[in-house]
Amino acid sequence: MVGPMWQPQSIRLHLAAVFLIFFLLVGVLGAFSIWRLSNFNLLSADVAEVWLPTTRALGDLNNFTSDFRAIEGSNLLSADAAEATATEKTMAALDRQVAAAERSFEAIRHSAEEDDLYRTFTARWSDYRAIVNRMLGLSRADHRADALAIYGGASRTAYNAASDTLGQLTDRAVANAQVASDRLGVAYRQAFWLILLAVAIAGVMVVGALIHVGRSISGPLLDLAVRMRRLAANDVEIDVPQTERRDEIGEMAKATVVFRNNAVELMRSQRILARQAGLLEKQLGEEQRLTAMQRNFVSMASHEFRTPMTVIDAHARRLIKLRDSMPRAEIAERAGKVRSAVLRMTHLIDNLLNSSRLMDGGAAHYFQPTEVDIAALLQEVCQLHREMMPAAEIAERFAEGPMRVVGDSKLLFQVFSNLLSNAIKYSPDGGAIEVEARVGADEVVVAIADHGMGIPATDIDRLFERYRRGSNVSGIIGTGVGLYLVKMALDIHGGSVVVESKEGEGSRFTIHLPVNGTSSARARSHATAAASALTDGPLVADSSGGMQSVLTATGGGGGA
């Protein structure tokens, strides 16, 4: 740790000095790099402006002069005057191209040796062109033999002399270009290593400055931040160093000491407030839970009991109004509908009481296994729901033969009733509800299928959890306990339920019940375990949930 004598009066001044050093370092490094790169740029310019254009011009001259010699031979071999004229035009075009290449070469600065070779080439090329012109004149005058003699003699000698001089000039230019390229490579390597050395020196200086800043500024700040986080986590047993510093860090350390002392007092007050808040929260939660249960019970009960009461009232009014003129058959029919509505209310009340016993943990005593005819029980459930929902289309498909199991008829009635009620409730657009039953291997299989809204795939795995409902059933009354009760009742019987559903297409619940049932002791063990699982949490809330589950028959096509 840096001692007090090295600590600045202000971190701002300290950082300003460090950044000024960085700025000067960057300036010096930049000036040095520019100096080295300027030398490299001069050599690059020499290559780009002299040697590349020189080699390009000499290459053109070599190509054009070679082509000219070939055209000269073609002219002598011309079969007619038109072909000879065409070759002369090509030679004129090559003359212009050679002249253009010569102008390009002359526009570039060269050494004295290169200039001497170039002048020799131009003189020899001029001699060659004079000989070619004389040969062309003989050819036009139809002195083909004399022209061929010149082509093979004086013309070839003059062309070879000019071509050799051009070759020497090209070799000299290529050699000089290679020397310039070598100088450029050496300059590049020198600049690279010198700049790399300067960067390394600058890097060492930067690392040194960063180490200094880390030890004198960022290190103490981070240490102070760690201690403040510990203090925020209620660790008041910390010491706070750096209070003797005369800069901003020292002021922060002194403020942290004050904060620590205040935190000690605050923690004492928080403990007292936390105890009081805990008691208030517990009381508030209890009141909210009781209020919610009461509100849900009243809402669900009023909704479910209103329908049969409306039926009873309507038929009673009709009977009173037409008591003198109504036929006996119609009186009997309406009395039967009144009785059906009363039966529905009685069924709801019985289910309410039975579910309350289950949810209160009385499953072990409530389970009374006897031999049950599943086909008859299903027909009773279907008939009850036809009477309660005349618009419902329920199709029964039962296999022939006995379908008897050992179980509790009331619990199984509630299982089938809940599932069928769900199938109707979660099929808002109608559609047939299929109830199927058959005998499998040592079991009776019951399936209740609808073509309603279906269950989202993400909800199926947790469908039988308590208070769990499908994510697509908002607006439809339910508590999410109905399918939980179905699962519990089937567990008591040693059976199981399988769900197949696709959102928007409907659901199919398949129930498997063992034909011989479970032994009495084993059945009561299942019942006790199910009741224990069901009564986890507040007993009153479970009871309320049980009552609501019967009244609304939650679960089914849209999820519990």
Side-chain angles (χ1 to χ4, degrees), residues 435-457:
V435 180
E436 303 172 358
R438 60 182 174 83
V439 178
D442 298 329
E443 65 177 3
V444 172
V445 181
V446 179
I448 299 177
D450 65 74
H451 302 281
M453 63 177 59
I455 306 170

Side-chain angles (χ1 to χ4, degrees), residues 507-530:
S507 303
R508 181 183 182 89
F509 285 76
T510 304
I511 300 166
H512 298 265
L513 287 170
V515 171
N516 296 325
T518 58
S519 67
S520 177
R522 184 179 177 187
R524 293 184 183 277
S525 176
H526 276 293
T528 303

Side-chain angles (χ1 to χ4, degrees), residues 363-371 405-408 411 491-494 514-529:
H365 302 288
Y366 181 69
F367 180 68
Q368 301 294 330
T370 59
E371 189 175 62
V405 300
V406 175
D408 190 304
L411 285 178
D491 287 342
I492 293 174
H493 287 81
V515 171
N516 296 325
T518 58
S519 67
S520 177
R522 184 179 177 187
R524 293 184 183 277
S525 176
H526 276 293
T528 303

Side-chain angles (χ1 to χ4, degrees), residues 377-395:
L377 186 64
L378 286 172
Q379 289 174 350
E380 182 182 353
V381 171
C382 292
Q383 183 59 33
L384 174 64
H385 283 279
R386 286 192 187 98
E387 294 177 359
M388 292 190 296
M389 299 292 293
E393 181 183 350
I394 303 174

Side-chain angles (χ1 to χ4, degrees), residues 444-479:
V444 172
V445 181
V446 179
I448 299 177
D450 65 74
H451 302 281
M453 63 177 59
I455 306 170
T458 55
D459 296 332
I460 291 180
D461 290 341
R462 303 183 63 186
L463 193 63
F464 293 98
E465 294 181 6
R466 185 164 42 176
Y467 307 126
R468 187 76 178 183
R469 302 193 71 206
S471 58
N472 61 339
V473 298
S474 59
I476 300 178
I477 295 178
T479 61

Side-chain angles (χ1 to χ4, degrees), residues 41-85:
N41 184 60
L42 290 175
L43 295 173
S44 299
D46 188 48
V47 171
E49 297 174 3
V50 176
W51 301 114
L52 290 179
T54 296
T55 54
R56 187 182 303 114
L58 291 175
D60 292 341
L61 283 174
N62 279 282
N63 292 332
F64 297 150
T65 54
S66 298
D67 293 343
F68 192 92
R69 177 63 176 171
I71 294 298
E72 178 188 359
S74 298
N75 179 267
L76 292 176
L77 298 176
S78 300
D80 51 30
E83 186 176 352
T85 302

Side-chain angles (χ1 to χ4, degrees), residues 269-286:
S269 301
Q270 285 179 338
R271 293 191 187 98
I272 298 174
L273 291 175
R275 287 194 295 268
Q276 295 176 348
L279 295 175
L280 292 175
E281 184 178 1
K282 184 177 180 181
Q283 294 174 357
L284 177 61
E286 188 68 18

Side-chain angles (χ1 to χ4, degrees), residues 487-510:
K487 182 69 167 58
M488 184 195 70
L490 292 176
D491 287 342
I492 293 174
H493 287 81
S496 63
V497 58
V498 178
V499 184
E500 301 173 71
S501 182
K502 188 173 183 180
E503 190 172 5
E505 298 184 6
S507 303
R508 181 183 182 89
F509 285 76
T510 304

